[in-house]
Amino acid sequence: MSRRHAAWLSLVLLGSLLATALIPVHAASYEVLGGRSKTSGWRWADAAFFAAVGDARPFTLGGHDLTWAPEAELGWIGPRPVNARNVHEYMTHPVWMAMGGARVSGFWRQAFLGFDVALTKNRTGALSSPYEFVSTLGWQGTHYLLALRHISNASFHEPNLGETMLLVGFRF
């Protein structure tokens, strides 16, 4: 591992641990999300996440009153079957990840933006580094949520196909 990658991995690990430490033992809500994930040139894969979201904290940005909440997640993206066009086995195993970051809401109805860093177990052509960046655009109701999520390493390591997924979930 190069020094550059080791430095980024240390930064991601520190950020994940800090975000996780910000969540109280009894989170404000827990979420179970599931859906399908797609990456360029490959078949769809199943995806599942479990999230703990902390209490919302107010802040002001550009004169707008918003809230942010720390979040920690565990995630899984399933394997893809090998097809005739893509016979490489580096996409045929699951990827597990631990994520930590923040969720911002209050800018439009019940919409939210999530920004996380993730540490991954296993590598694929889509998620090819031990750290990934996660961005989420979602809508949350009282007990339901819908989210569009993208995970990639921001071209710090190649290949960098990333994963884009549509998730539905339950909040409790």
Side-chain angles (χ1 to χ4, degrees):
M1 178 182 294
S2 71
R3 283 185 174 181
R4 178 177 152 203
H5 287 108
W8 273 105
L9 182 59
S10 298
L11 180 62
V12 169
L13 180 59
L14 179 63
S16 297
L17 291 174
L18 178 61
T20 304
L22 293 174
I23 295 178
V25 174
H26 299 289
S29 69
Y30 297 97
E31 301 168 352
V32 177
L33 300 103
R36 304 282 281 165
S37 183
K38 182 78 169 129
T39 192
S40 179
W42 289 87
R43 295 181 183 178
W44 290 87
D46 294 324
F49 295 86
F50 176 77
V53 182
D55 292 323
R57 296 162 168 98
F59 76 100
T60 302
L61 180 66
H64 300 284
D65 293 329
L66 304 172
T67 62
W68 76 275
E71 65 180 353
E73 293 189 52
L74 296 176
W76 170 84
I77 299 173
R80 290 176 169 83
V82 173
N83 60 33
R85 197 175 66 177
N86 297 310
V87 296
H88 306 289
E89 63 180 70
Y90 63 82
M91 294 292 278
T92 61
H93 57 272
V95 175
W96 291 90
M97 62 192 72
M99 305 172 359
R103 182 177 292 185
V104 177
S105 59
F107 53 89
W108 184 73
R109 301 187 187 240
Q110 294 160 304
F112 68 89
L113 293 171
F115 303 98
D116 300 275
V117 291
L119 297 176
T120 60
K121 182 176 183 322
N122 294 337
R123 312 286 182 273
T124 67
L127 302 176
S128 61
S129 65
Y131 51 87
E132 303 289 338
F133 300 96
V134 183
S135 54
T136 305
L137 171 62
W139 176 88
Q140 56 193 10
T142 305
H143 296 288
Y144 305 99
L145 65 118
L146 177 66
L148 180 63
R149 175 171 285 169
H150 180 72
I151 304 173
S152 78
N153 65 28
S155 294
F156 285 109
H157 188 272
E158 295 296 332
N160 181 42
L161 298 175
E163 293 275 1
T164 301
M165 59 202 73
L166 182 60
L167 304 166
V168 294
F170 300 99
R171 299 178 74 205
F172 53 95

